[in-house]
Every structure is written in C-alpha cells, then in structure tokens.
Amino acid sequence: MPIRIDTASADFTQRFNAFLTMKREVAADIEVATRAIVDDVAARGDAALLEATRKFDRLDLKASGLRVTPAEVYAAVAACDAETVEALTFARDRIELFHKRQLPRDDRFTDALGVELGWRWSAIEAVGLYVPGGTAAYPSSVLMNAVPAKVAGVERVVMVVPSPDGKLNPLVLAAAKLGGVSEIYRVGGAQAVAALAYGTDTIAPVAKIVGPGNAYVAAAKRQVFGKVGIDMIAGPSEVLVIADDSANADWIAADLLAQAEHDANAQSILITDSERLADDVILAVEAQLTTLPRAEIARASWENFGAVILVEKLDDAVPLANAIAAEHLEIMTADPEAFSLKIRNAGAIFLGGHTPEAIGDYVGGSNHVLPTARSARFSSGLGVLDFMKRTSILKCGPDQLRALGPAAMTLGKAEGLDAHARSVGLRLNLR
Amino acid sequence: MPIRIDTASADFTQRFNAFLTMKREVAADIEVATRAIVDDVAARGDAALLEATRKFDRLDLKASGLRVTPAEVYAAVAACDAETVEALTFARDRIELFHKRQLPRDDRFTDALGVELGWRWSAIEAVGLYVPGGTAAYPSSVLMNAVPAKVAGVERVVMVVPSPDGKLNPLVLAAAKLGGVSEIYRVGGAQAVAALAYGTDTIAPVAKIVGPGNAYVAAAKRQVFGKVGIDMIAGPSEVLVIADDSANADWIAADLLAQAEHDANAQSILITDSERLADDVILAVEAQLTTLPRAEIARASWENFGAVILVEKLDDAVPLANAIAAEHLEIMTADPEAFSLKIRNAGAIFLGGHTPEAIGDYVGGSNHVLPTARSARFSSGLGVLDFMKRTSILKCGPDQLRALGPAAMTLGKAEGLDAHARSVGLRLNLR
C-alpha cells in the first residue's frame, strides 16, 4: 500500500517531513573505484578506454572500432520501424520549435555616465552526450539532450553509448541522427565520461557533459566537474498529481503508473481534497496493475514510495507541493491555470485532464530532462541556456574612467589590493 | 621570469599546450576530513556546528550567539570609513542596475495545433552566501553575490562568515547590509556549508549555496551538491591582455600586477604582436613591483605563472585566447570592439585602454564572479539566472491530445513503457 496521510491528523507535519526526507536511492560507495577508472583513462587514453570496455561491456575493440560509422547509423535507421521513426521525427520538430524560443538575447547599453555595458551569449563548442545502454536507452532522451544543444549552436555533439556484448539500440542511433549528433562512440560507464572530459587519441575532448547514467556515470561526472561542465545529477523520477473531486480517477491512476513503471525508485503522489477520489484512484491503480507489462517495477514503486495525501481544502496542497518540488506536476482541478499560479517549485506543470505527463515525455516539445528529488527548488529543466555561456562586456573612455575610477580606487585600497587601485590611478594620474 | 613563448618558434604548440594544462593549484586530499564535518553537522546540528567553530575559529559560542545581531551590523557600519561606505553604495547601485537587465521573461504561446506551451521563471526561496574570513574577506564580493540574488527576488539571503578569534570585518557587514542580506551567522568552513545545506535549530536550511571559500569549503560544496544547488567552484583568478603596439606598457603592467597580487596562484598573460611592447611590459612590471605592498605575492604569481606570448599578427591571438578562455580579457588594440567579436571564450571582456579590469571588479556594474581555470569554455559569470529557476508549462485540450497522442503512444511502446502509452490511450479510447 502507498503511504496515506491526511492533513487533518495530529501527526501530519511529522509524517509529511518523514516522507519528504525519505531516501529513495542508496548511494553506493563507488567513488574510489570510479576515480581509478577516470584517472586511468586520463593517463593512458584509448588503451585504458579499450581495456575498460573489454572488462565491463565484454566487447573487444580496437581504437579504430570505437566510432560508430555513418554506414552503421544508416543501416540502423533503415532497420527501424517506419512509424516509430516518423514519431521520433515529429517529436524532434516539436522539441526544436519549443527550444528555439529559449535562445537568449545579447544586451548592450550605455548608462548615464557613458559607460558601455552588456553581454554576449555564445554556444559551447563541444558537448558530450551520455546515453545509457540496456533497457534505459531511451531514444526520446537522445532528442531531449541533442536538440537543445544544436539549437544553441553547439558544433560538436559527441554521443557515447555502451554496447554491452556489441549490441546497440537502433532507435537510439536513429534519434542521434535526427537530433544532429556529430560523432558516436560505443563506450559507456565512467571510462566514457573520462574520455569525453580528458580526450583520447580517438575522442577529442568536450567542454561539457550531459545526459543520465548509472551510479558510476554519476560519480564520474562529479569527479570531472570543473575540468568540464556537467548537467544536474538525475535521480529517480517523480510525479505529483493535484486533483479535486471533478477529476477522472482512471486517468490519474494511469499517470501515477506511468511514473511508477520507470523504476522501482520512482515516486507517484496524489494530493486531493476528495476522499472519494483518493479511494477510487487507489482501486484504479490496483485494477490497472493487473494488466501492465512492467507491473512488478510499478508495484514496487507504488507500494514503497507512492503516496496519497488528503487535504481539507485544495489550497492546503500549495505549501505541500512547493515543499515536494516535484519533477512533474499535473493539475486536474476545476481551474488548473489559476491553481498553477500558486505553485513556485516544480520542474514542469501539466494543466488539466487532457495533458498526461507522457505527452511531455515525448511530443509536447518542452524538455523532459527535469530536476528530480526536490531540486526544482533550485534548478530548472534542461534547455538551450545549458549549452551556452555569457561573456560580459565593459567599455570606458577617459571620461567614464574619471567618473568611476575614484570609487574603484577607494574600494581597492579598502580591500588591501593596492595594485588594483594603482591600475586605475596610473591612468588618471592619481595615486 | 614569466614564461615567454613565440608562435614563430618550432615547439610553440607543444609549449602552449603545456602552458594550458599547467596546474596552478594542487587539490589537497581533504575529502574524508570534510565529509566527517559535513556528516556531523547534518546529524547533530547546532552542537556539531558550535564544536567545529570552537576548534577551527577558536571561538566559544552558544547557539544564541551564532547570529550577528542587527545592532552589531549597525555598529560595524557606523565604524567604517564614510568614503568607503559611499563607494560601496555607489557600487551596489551600479550592480543593481546592470543585473536588473538580466531578469528573464516568461513565455507562453499556442502552437499551430492549439497546444499551449511556455515557461515561468521564479526566484529560489532561500540562498546561502559563503564569505571567507581573514584577508580574503572582500566586501565587493558580498555585493556581487547578494545583489543579483535580491534582484532575482530571493527572500532569504543567508550569509555565513567565519570570525576567527571573534573578529569580523566591518566592511563585510556593511556590504551585507547594503546588499540586502537577511541573516548573518558567524560560522565558516565545511561546518557552515553543512549548516546551510541541512539546517540546524538555529539556521534554517537554504536551497542553494554560492560564494568562494578555501579548499574545505569547496569540498563541502561538492559534497552537498544535489541536496542543494551550488555555484561554480572558483579557482585562482586570471587575466589575459591582448595588445598591439599602440598600447601603453605601464597600464598593461599595472593590470597584470592587479591580477597577480590576488594570490600566488593567480595568472597574468600578455599576448601581443609587438616585441617592443612585450619587452617594455616586462620591464614595467619589474619597476612597479618595487613599490607594491603585496609585491611578494604578485612576484610569485608573475614568475611562476605569468606569460608573455608573441604572435606574428594579432589575429593569431584569437585561437590562443579561445583556448585560454580567460576569466578576464582586456583588449587594447586599435579597434578593440571589432577584435572582441572574434572571441568566443572569456568570462568578461574589457574594451580599450581606459577599461582596467579593476573597474569591473568594483564599480562597472557587471559581476566580478566569473569562470576561472578555462571554465569560460562552458560556463558564465554569476548573474540573476543563477538565483532563479524555470518551470515549463504544457496544456492540451481533447483536440490537442488527439493530435499528439498517437505519436506519444508509438514512442512509449517503442521504449517498452506501456503505462506511458496507456495513460494517453485511456483518454482517447485507444489501446
């Protein structure tokens, strides 16, 4: 049974806080093992990368075989189901349209003193995209990472994807092609992250690494952070549905299970002011579980981490939702739009009963890489800005330097940085 | 003597690459020690925080004494030199004006299918600002961190600053007041970072931690990353000056030394096409060093990490500058504006001889917290966006779901996520 808590009960705050701080993932102690792999690839390049690939993916390659060739990609795309490729293309186009609106504007202005100020945005030159192997290899995620990078103007989008026993998912290769990926290497794990960060003879280094991965990949990303940029460290996924009595219990149950089927550590939460709806959703979840292919995973998630929270009135859901800061928030109330304006912390909001989160996962156009584990309190979903950086610009003439200089000299001296003050004073013939 | 390399020499590429990858900081092996402190504060709260403060800052406090009182702040401001407070106020106002232009716009649009899409920006609710104690306590840095947070709309800006032996820098408290800091606690080190991340009885937790610190602070920030957001890990500072024969050697020397005086690990680089200028700058540096209060630090930086790179023609400086990706780039050429357009990787660009970097450090208005150690290849200076997050919004009606649903179902099934497909199909009476 999922956790069921009621704001009317005396111990609500205590139980809600316990729920909030509940750990869904146990961090494995793999830092030392990961560092050994990363350091080895940093030091020995291709040789270390090939050894690790032999060991972990049971794949015996030469350096010349690391790169997936255009012919292989072409063959993979040809082997894919045509309808699926069409759906991927449809998704790609919508993701591209949405993300083009995120392109930031440069700014340049002259203030009252005549000082010219501003900034210029530019794309990161080369980005690495980690794609997991096995069952977690989602072609949709390839699009969600690659398309914003291309929209930003990144020239080199370098994909790494492990091919355990030599197997690659053709749809992942098709998504890479559609997403504009420039190079693909059949390597994974900490060794692939290290290769992207430090470069090898075969793989030129990148400046930033994005994309989800297992605990080793996450640990390796933390370790190379600073040498290169990284995106957020993704945790298990979660959905919060806020619904009133008017909502459809079957639809909510389906959405809770769509989240739960991802991973036994995923989390599905319903907050409602309707006890009737709460009961109906719980029954509907049970009914739908009986025919779900991934029922075992979904049931584990629902029973261990699922939650139904009953509130007296719907507005009581607002502080709870802001504390949960869900990756995905579905609002199915009489006026979802008005309710959504009260929400501050959420990765993405899905308004009304006809916007199941699965639409956002695939074809809505917005990004499905979103902050998990309450990190929507301080971070955003992936977007074009993650693939760009801003350079600020400052320009003074002699008059402006005369106007600003004395205050700068005062502050430089106050901070004990005389050379700072002097660099201004010298130009103004002041000491 | 600084490193001197010439693009005309046969081993240039080799020497430049060695220069690029030269380590200026040796990472101390303090992860284990830091983790013990962080875990202790997470587990025992105030008691652990007070113990660590007694041990590391030689300061015996009770929990009630952790917070710096408004009366203390008032007294500190009253004790400051009036001219310096005036300069800080002038800086504050300019920083505020500049950063207000960075406030992002929300977006909402309806696409051709009638799908409503968009996003909303909101401020992070609570941010921690780490301020180092001792000589590295710069009031200007307090402003550079606090003002963008306030412009973003952050309600709680919580400053922590160690007070070794009970000493606090009055100018730092004055800057906190001017910058709109809401709470100040006299704690530092890994223990302060842990208190901000996990909260104690006295210090309510924040959602993100920014600000520079020593190796322990940096290690603690890495460790709490995920639990809270963090800004970049700042490395030693650097300046790159690109100049032609028209530039003033004394001014350049002064700017190189302004960088070098920060820290023995700071780096000052000149790239020029004028051998005459290169020689003059080196002589001017020596001359100015003789009268500089922080000559010892500046000389160590200049002799160990300083560099003068001679290029045949100025355009040859472009790829070098983009590879160096300097935190600060000064351009002193005949047409600095035109030259700057060729630069892709730099934290901030200072145009022309009358824009010494020290102006940007204090009163230009742009932020002086900038990406160091080549990280301008993938990251930006601190700004308003660092204190905000974006929530994406998606809204379909029945018609839009009918238009988008089939492709989403196809992709869900292709990824083996049947519950995803079902959450759409159920609403459309499709299976």
Coordinates of all heavy atoms in Angstrom, one line a residue, chain A residues 322-396:
Chain A
N322 N 4.9 22.8 -3.0 CA 6.2 23.6 -3.1 C 7.3 23.0 -2.3 O 8.5 23.1 -2.6 CB 5.9 25.0 -2.6 CG 5.2 25.9 -3.7 OD1 5.4 25.6 -4.9 ND2 4.4 26.8 -3.3
A323 N 6.9 22.2 -1.2 CA 8.0 21.5 -0.4 C 8.4 20.3 -1.2 O 9.6 20.0 -1.2 CB 7.4 21.1 0.9
I324 N 7.5 19.6 -1.8 CA 7.8 18.4 -2.6 C 8.6 18.8 -3.8 O 9.5 18.1 -4.3 CB 6.5 17.6 -3.0 CG1 5.9 17.0 -1.7 CG2 6.8 16.5 -4.0 CD1 4.5 16.5 -2.0
A325 N 8.3 19.9 -4.4 CA 9.0 20.4 -5.6 C 9.2 19.3 -6.7 O 10.3 19.0 -7.1 CB 10.4 21.0 -5.2
A326 N 8.0 18.8 -7.1 CA 8.0 17.6 -8.0 C 8.7 17.9 -9.3 O 8.5 19.0 -9.9 CB 6.6 17.1 -8.1
E327 N 9.3 16.9 -9.8 CA 9.8 16.9 -11.2 C 8.6 17.2 -12.2 O 8.7 18.1 -13.0 CB 10.5 15.6 -11.5 CG 11.1 15.5 -12.9 CD 11.5 14.1 -13.3 OE1 11.2 13.2 -12.5 OE2 12.3 14.0 -14.3
H328 N 7.6 16.4 -12.0 CA 6.4 16.6 -12.9 C 5.2 16.9 -12.0 O 5.0 16.2 -11.0 CB 6.0 15.3 -13.6 CG 7.2 14.8 -14.4 ND1 7.9 13.7 -14.0 CD2 7.7 15.1 -15.6 CE1 8.8 13.4 -14.9 NE2 8.8 14.3 -15.8
L329 N 4.4 18.0 -12.3 CA 3.2 18.3 -11.5 C 2.0 18.3 -12.5 O 2.0 19.2 -13.4 CB 3.4 19.6 -10.8 CG 2.2 20.2 -10.1 CD1 1.6 19.3 -9.0 CD2 2.4 21.6 -9.6
E330 N 1.1 17.5 -12.3 CA -0.2 17.5 -13.0 C -1.2 18.2 -12.2 O -1.4 17.8 -11.0 CB -0.6 16.1 -13.4 CG 0.3 15.4 -14.4 CD -0.2 14.0 -14.8 OE1 -1.3 13.6 -14.3 OE2 0.3 13.4 -15.8
I331 N -1.9 19.1 -12.8 CA -3.0 19.8 -12.0 C -4.4 19.5 -12.7 O -4.6 19.8 -13.9 CB -2.8 21.3 -11.9 CG1 -1.4 21.6 -11.3 CG2 -3.9 22.0 -11.1 CD1 -1.1 23.1 -11.2
M332 N -5.2 18.7 -12.0 CA -6.5 18.4 -12.6 C -7.6 18.9 -11.6 O -8.1 18.1 -10.8 CB -6.6 16.9 -12.7 CG -5.6 16.3 -13.6 SD -6.0 14.6 -14.1 CE -4.3 13.9 -14.3
T333 N -7.8 20.2 -11.7 CA -8.8 20.8 -10.8 C -9.8 21.6 -11.7 O -9.6 21.7 -12.9 CB -8.1 21.8 -9.8 OG1 -7.5 22.8 -10.6 CG2 -7.1 21.0 -9.0
A334 N -10.8 22.2 -11.1 CA -11.7 23.0 -11.9 C -11.1 24.1 -12.7 O -11.4 24.3 -13.8 CB -12.8 23.6 -10.9
D335 N -10.1 24.8 -12.1 CA -9.4 25.8 -12.8 C -7.9 25.6 -12.6 O -7.2 26.3 -11.8 CB -9.8 27.2 -12.3 CG -9.2 28.3 -13.1 OD1 -8.4 28.1 -14.0 OD2 -9.6 29.5 -12.9
P336 N -7.3 24.7 -13.4 CA -5.9 24.4 -13.2 C -5.0 25.5 -13.4 O -3.9 25.7 -12.8 CB -5.6 23.2 -14.3 CG -6.8 23.2 -15.2 CD -7.9 23.9 -14.5
E337 N -5.3 26.4 -14.4 CA -4.4 27.5 -14.7 C -4.3 28.4 -13.5 O -3.2 28.8 -13.1 CB -5.1 28.3 -15.9 CG -4.3 29.5 -16.3 CD -3.2 29.1 -17.3 OE1 -3.5 28.3 -18.2 OE2 -2.1 29.5 -17.1
A338 N -5.4 28.8 -12.9 CA -5.4 29.7 -11.7 C -4.6 29.0 -10.6 O -3.8 29.6 -9.9 CB -6.8 30.0 -11.2
F339 N -4.9 27.7 -10.4 CA -4.2 27.0 -9.3 C -2.7 27.0 -9.6 O -1.9 27.1 -8.6 CB -4.7 25.6 -9.2 CG -4.2 24.9 -8.0 CD1 -4.9 25.0 -6.8 CD2 -3.1 24.1 -8.0 CE1 -4.5 24.4 -5.6 CE2 -2.6 23.5 -6.8 CZ -3.3 23.6 -5.6
S340 N -2.3 26.8 -10.8 CA -0.8 26.7 -11.1 C 0.0 28.0 -10.8 O 1.2 27.9 -10.5 CB -0.6 26.4 -12.6 OG -0.8 27.6 -13.4
L341 N -0.7 29.1 -10.7 CA 0.0 30.3 -10.4 C 0.4 30.4 -9.0 O 1.3 31.2 -8.6 CB -0.9 31.5 -10.7 CG -1.3 31.7 -12.2 CD1 -2.3 32.9 -12.3 CD2 -0.1 31.9 -13.0
K342 N -0.1 29.5 -8.1 CA 0.3 29.5 -6.7 C 1.5 28.6 -6.5 O 2.1 28.5 -5.4 CB -0.9 28.9 -5.9 CG -2.1 29.8 -6.0 CD -3.3 29.1 -5.3 CE -4.6 29.8 -5.6 NZ -5.8 29.1 -5.0
I343 N 1.9 27.8 -7.6 CA 3.0 26.9 -7.4 C 4.3 27.6 -7.8 O 4.4 28.2 -8.9 CB 2.8 25.7 -8.4 CG1 1.5 25.0 -8.0 CG2 4.0 24.7 -8.3 CD1 1.5 24.3 -6.6
R344 N 5.3 27.4 -6.9 CA 6.6 28.0 -7.1 C 7.6 27.0 -7.5 O 8.5 27.3 -8.4 CB 7.0 28.7 -5.9 CG 8.3 29.4 -6.0 CD 8.4 30.5 -5.0 NE 9.7 31.1 -4.9 CZ 9.9 32.2 -4.2 NH1 8.9 32.7 -3.4 NH2 11.1 32.8 -4.2
N345 N 7.6 25.8 -6.9 CA 8.6 24.8 -7.1 C 8.1 23.6 -7.9 O 7.4 22.8 -7.3 CB 9.2 24.4 -5.8 CG 9.9 25.5 -5.0 OD1 10.3 26.5 -5.7 ND2 9.9 25.4 -3.7
A346 N 8.4 23.5 -9.1 CA 8.1 22.3 -9.9 C 8.9 22.3 -11.2 O 9.3 23.4 -11.7 CB 6.6 22.3 -10.3
G347 N 9.3 21.1 -11.7 CA 10.1 21.1 -12.9 C 9.2 21.4 -14.1 O 9.6 22.2 -14.9
A348 N 8.1 20.8 -14.2 CA 7.2 21.1 -15.3 C 5.7 20.9 -14.8 O 5.5 20.1 -13.9 CB 7.4 20.1 -16.5
I349 N 4.8 21.8 -15.3 CA 3.4 21.7 -14.9 C 2.6 21.3 -16.1 O 2.8 21.8 -17.2 CB 3.0 23.0 -14.3 CG1 3.8 23.4 -13.1 CG2 1.5 23.0 -14.0 CD1 3.4 24.8 -12.4
F350 N 1.7 20.3 -15.9 CA 0.8 19.8 -16.9 C -0.6 20.2 -16.5 O -1.1 19.8 -15.5 CB 1.0 18.3 -17.0 CG 2.4 17.9 -17.3 CD1 3.3 17.7 -16.3 CD2 2.8 17.8 -18.6 CE1 4.7 17.4 -16.5 CE2 4.2 17.4 -18.9 CZ 5.1 17.3 -17.9
L351 N -1.2 21.0 -17.3 CA -2.5 21.6 -16.9 C -3.7 20.8 -17.5 O -3.8 20.7 -18.7 CB -2.6 23.1 -17.4 CG -1.5 24.0 -16.8 CD1 -1.6 25.4 -17.6 CD2 -1.9 24.2 -15.3
G352 N -4.6 20.4 -16.6 CA -5.9 19.8 -17.0 C -5.8 18.3 -17.3 O -4.7 17.8 -17.6
G353 N -6.9 17.7 -17.3 CA -7.0 16.3 -17.5 C -6.5 15.8 -18.9 O -6.2 14.6 -19.0
H354 N -6.5 16.6 -19.9 CA -6.1 16.1 -21.2 C -4.6 16.3 -21.4 O -4.1 16.3 -22.6 CB -6.9 16.8 -22.3 CG -8.3 16.3 -22.3 ND1 -9.3 16.9 -21.5 CD2 -8.9 15.2 -22.9 CE1 -10.5 16.2 -21.7 NE2 -10.2 15.2 -22.5
T355 N -3.8 16.6 -20.4 CA -2.4 16.8 -20.6 C -1.6 15.7 -19.7 O -1.0 16.1 -18.7 CB -1.9 18.2 -20.2 OG1 -2.9 19.1 -20.6 CG2 -0.5 18.5 -20.8
P356 N -1.7 14.4 -20.1 CA -0.9 13.5 -19.3 C 0.5 13.7 -19.4 O 1.0 14.2 -20.5 CB -1.3 12.1 -19.9 CG -1.8 12.5 -21.3 CD -2.4 13.8 -21.2
E357 N 1.3 13.4 -18.4 CA 2.7 13.7 -18.4 C 3.4 13.0 -19.6 O 4.4 13.5 -20.1 CB 3.3 13.3 -17.1 CG 4.7 13.7 -16.9 CD 5.6 12.5 -16.8 OE1 5.4 11.7 -15.9 OE2 6.5 12.4 -17.6
A358 N 2.9 11.9 -20.1 CA 3.6 11.2 -21.2 C 3.6 12.0 -22.4 O 4.6 11.8 -23.2 CB 2.8 9.9 -21.4
I359 N 2.7 13.0 -22.6 CA 2.8 13.9 -23.7 C 4.1 14.7 -23.6 O 4.8 14.9 -24.6 CB 1.5 14.8 -23.8 CG1 0.3 14.0 -24.1 CG2 1.7 15.9 -24.7 CD1 0.3 13.4 -25.6
G360 N 4.3 15.2 -22.4 CA 5.5 16.0 -22.2 C 6.8 15.1 -22.3 O 7.9 15.7 -22.7
D361 N 6.7 13.9 -22.0 CA 7.9 13.0 -22.2 C 8.3 12.9 -23.6 O 9.5 12.6 -23.9 CB 7.5 11.6 -21.7 CG 7.6 11.5 -20.2 OD1 8.2 12.4 -19.5 OD2 7.1 10.5 -19.6
Y362 N 7.4 13.0 -24.5 CA 7.7 12.6 -25.9 C 7.5 13.8 -26.9 O 8.4 14.1 -27.7 CB 6.8 11.4 -26.3 CG 7.2 10.2 -25.6 CD1 6.2 9.5 -24.8 CD2 8.5 9.7 -25.6 CE1 6.6 8.3 -24.2 CE2 8.8 8.5 -25.0 CZ 7.9 7.8 -24.2 OH 8.2 6.7 -23.5
V363 N 6.3 14.3 -27.0 CA 6.0 15.1 -28.2 C 5.4 16.5 -27.8 O 5.0 17.2 -28.8 CB 4.9 14.4 -29.0 CG1 5.6 13.1 -29.7 CG2 3.7 14.0 -28.2
G364 N 5.4 16.9 -26.5 CA 4.8 18.2 -26.2 C 5.7 19.3 -26.8 O 5.3 20.3 -27.4
G365 N 7.0 19.0 -26.7 CA 8.0 20.0 -27.3 C 8.9 20.5 -26.2 O 10.1 20.8 -26.4
S366 N 8.4 20.6 -25.0 CA 9.2 21.1 -23.8 C 10.1 19.9 -23.4 O 10.0 18.8 -23.9 CB 8.3 21.5 -22.6 OG 7.4 20.5 -22.4
N367 N 11.1 20.2 -22.6 CA 12.1 19.2 -22.4 C 11.7 18.2 -21.3 O 11.1 18.6 -20.3 CB 13.5 19.9 -22.0 CG 14.7 19.0 -22.3 OD1 14.9 18.0 -21.8 ND2 15.4 19.5 -23.3
H368 N 12.0 17.0 -21.4 CA 11.7 16.0 -20.4 C 12.8 15.7 -19.4 O 12.7 15.0 -18.4 CB 11.1 14.7 -21.0 CG 12.1 13.7 -21.5 ND1 11.8 12.7 -22.3 CD2 13.5 13.5 -21.2 CE1 12.9 11.9 -22.5 NE2 13.9 12.4 -21.9
V369 N 14.0 16.4 -19.6 CA 15.1 16.3 -18.6 C 14.8 17.4 -17.6 O 15.0 18.6 -17.8 CB 16.4 16.5 -19.3 CG1 17.5 16.4 -18.2 CG2 16.6 15.5 -20.4
L370 N 14.3 17.0 -16.4 CA 13.8 17.9 -15.4 C 14.4 17.6 -14.0 O 14.9 16.5 -13.8 CB 12.3 17.8 -15.3 CG 11.5 18.2 -16.6 CD1 10.1 17.7 -16.6 CD2 11.5 19.7 -16.7
P371 N 14.4 18.6 -13.2 CA 15.0 18.4 -11.8 C 14.3 17.4 -11.0 O 13.1 17.6 -10.8 CB 15.0 19.8 -11.2 CG 14.0 20.6 -12.0 CD 13.9 20.0 -13.4
T372 N 15.0 16.5 -10.4 CA 14.4 15.4 -9.6 C 14.7 15.6 -8.1 O 15.5 16.5 -7.8 CB 14.9 14.0 -10.0 OG1 16.3 14.0 -9.9 CG2 14.5 13.7 -11.5
A373 N 14.1 14.8 -7.3 CA 14.5 14.7 -5.9 C 14.5 16.1 -5.2 O 15.4 16.5 -4.5 CB 15.9 14.1 -5.7
R374 N 13.4 16.9 -5.4 CA 13.2 18.2 -4.8 C 14.2 19.3 -5.3 O 14.2 20.4 -4.8 CB 13.3 18.1 -3.3 CG 12.4 17.1 -2.6 CD 12.4 17.1 -1.1 NE 11.9 18.4 -0.7 CZ 12.4 19.1 0.4 NH1 13.3 18.5 1.1 NH2 11.9 20.2 0.8
S375 N 14.9 19.0 -6.4 CA 15.9 20.0 -6.8 C 15.2 21.1 -7.7 O 15.9 22.1 -8.0 CB 17.1 19.4 -7.5 OG 16.7 18.7 -8.7
A376 N 13.9 20.9 -8.0 CA 13.2 22.0 -8.6 C 13.1 23.3 -7.7 O 12.7 24.3 -8.1 CB 11.8 21.6 -9.0
R377 N 13.5 23.1 -6.4 CA 13.6 24.3 -5.6 C 14.7 25.2 -6.0 O 14.7 26.4 -5.7 CB 13.9 23.8 -4.1 CG 12.7 23.1 -3.5 CD 13.1 22.5 -2.1 NE 14.2 21.6 -2.2 CZ 15.3 21.7 -1.6 NH1 15.5 22.6 -0.7 NH2 16.2 20.8 -1.8
F378 N 15.7 24.7 -6.7 CA 16.8 25.5 -7.1 C 17.3 25.3 -8.5 O 18.3 25.9 -8.9 CB 18.0 25.3 -6.1 CG 18.4 23.8 -5.9 CD1 19.3 23.3 -6.8 CD2 18.0 23.1 -4.9 CE1 19.7 22.0 -6.7 CE2 18.4 21.7 -4.7 CZ 19.2 21.2 -5.7
S379 N 16.7 24.4 -9.3 CA 17.2 24.3 -10.6 C 16.1 24.0 -11.6 O 15.0 23.8 -11.3 CB 18.3 23.1 -10.7 OG 17.7 21.9 -10.3
S380 N 16.5 24.1 -12.9 CA 15.5 24.1 -14.0 C 15.7 22.9 -14.8 O 16.7 22.2 -14.8 CB 15.7 25.3 -14.9 OG 15.8 26.5 -14.1
G381 N 14.7 22.6 -15.7 CA 14.9 21.6 -16.7 C 16.0 21.9 -17.7 O 16.4 23.1 -17.8
L382 N 16.4 20.9 -18.4 CA 17.4 21.2 -19.5 C 16.9 22.2 -20.5 O 15.7 22.1 -20.9 CB 17.8 19.9 -20.1 CG 19.1 19.9 -20.9 CD1 20.3 20.0 -20.0 CD2 19.2 18.6 -21.8
G383 N 17.7 23.0 -21.0 CA 17.3 24.0 -22.0 C 18.4 24.5 -22.8 O 19.6 24.1 -22.6
V384 N 18.1 25.4 -23.7 CA 19.2 26.0 -24.6 C 20.3 26.7 -23.8 O 21.5 26.6 -24.2 CB 18.5 26.9 -25.6 CG1 19.5 27.7 -26.3 CG2 17.6 26.1 -26.6
L385 N 19.9 27.3 -22.7 CA 20.9 28.0 -21.9 C 22.0 27.1 -21.3 O 23.1 27.6 -21.1 CB 20.3 28.8 -20.8 CG 19.4 30.0 -21.1 CD1 18.9 30.7 -19.9 CD2 20.1 31.0 -22.0
D386 N 21.6 25.8 -21.2 CA 22.6 24.9 -20.6 C 23.7 24.6 -21.6 O 24.7 24.0 -21.3 CB 21.9 23.6 -20.3 CG 21.0 23.8 -19.1 OD1 21.5 24.1 -18.0 OD2 19.8 23.6 -19.3
F387 N 23.5 25.0 -22.9 CA 24.5 24.8 -23.9 C 25.2 26.1 -24.4 O 25.8 26.1 -25.4 CB 23.9 24.0 -25.1 CG 23.4 22.7 -24.7 CD1 22.1 22.5 -24.4 CD2 24.3 21.6 -24.5 CE1 21.6 21.2 -24.0 CE2 23.8 20.4 -24.0 CZ 22.5 20.2 -23.8
M388 N 25.0 27.2 -23.6 CA 25.5 28.4 -24.0 C 26.2 29.1 -22.8 O 26.0 28.6 -21.6 CB 24.4 29.4 -24.5 CG 23.7 28.8 -25.6 SD 22.5 30.0 -26.4 CE 23.6 31.0 -27.4
K389 N 27.0 30.1 -23.0 CA 27.6 30.8 -21.9 C 27.6 32.3 -22.3 O 27.6 32.6 -23.4 CB 28.9 30.3 -21.5 CG 30.0 30.5 -22.6 CD 30.2 29.3 -23.4 CE 31.2 29.5 -24.5 NZ 31.9 30.8 -24.7
R390 N 27.7 33.1 -21.3 CA 27.5 34.6 -21.4 C 28.9 35.2 -21.1 O 29.5 34.9 -20.1 CB 26.5 35.0 -20.4 CG 25.9 36.4 -20.6 CD 24.9 36.6 -19.4 NE 25.5 36.4 -18.1 CZ 25.0 35.8 -17.1 NH1 23.8 35.2 -17.2 NH2 25.7 35.7 -16.0
T391 N 29.3 36.1 -22.0 CA 30.5 36.9 -21.7 C 30.1 38.3 -21.5 O 29.4 38.9 -22.3 CB 31.4 36.9 -23.0 OG1 31.8 35.5 -23.2 CG2 32.7 37.7 -22.8
S392 N 30.5 38.9 -20.3 CA 30.1 40.3 -20.1 C 31.1 41.2 -20.7 O 32.2 40.9 -21.0 CB 29.9 40.5 -18.6 OG 31.1 40.4 -17.9
I393 N 30.6 42.4 -21.0 CA 31.4 43.4 -21.8 C 31.3 44.7 -21.1 O 30.3 45.2 -20.6 CB 30.8 43.5 -23.2 CG1 31.0 42.2 -23.9 CG2 31.5 44.7 -24.0 CD1 30.2 42.1 -25.2
L394 N 32.5 45.4 -20.9 CA 32.6 46.7 -20.3 C 33.5 47.6 -21.1 O 34.6 47.1 -21.5 CB 33.1 46.5 -18.8 CG 33.1 47.7 -17.9 CD1 31.7 48.2 -17.6 CD2 33.8 47.3 -16.6
K395 N 33.1 48.8 -21.3 CA 33.9 49.7 -22.0 C 33.8 51.1 -21.5 O 32.8 51.7 -21.4 CB 33.5 49.7 -23.5 CG 34.3 50.6 -24.4 CD 33.8 50.5 -25.8 CE 34.7 51.3 -26.8 NZ 34.2 51.2 -28.1
C396 N 35.0 51.7 -21.0 CA 35.0 53.0 -20.6 C 35.9 53.8 -21.5 O 36.9 53.3 -22.0 CB 35.7 53.1 -19.2 SG 34.7 52.4 -17.9

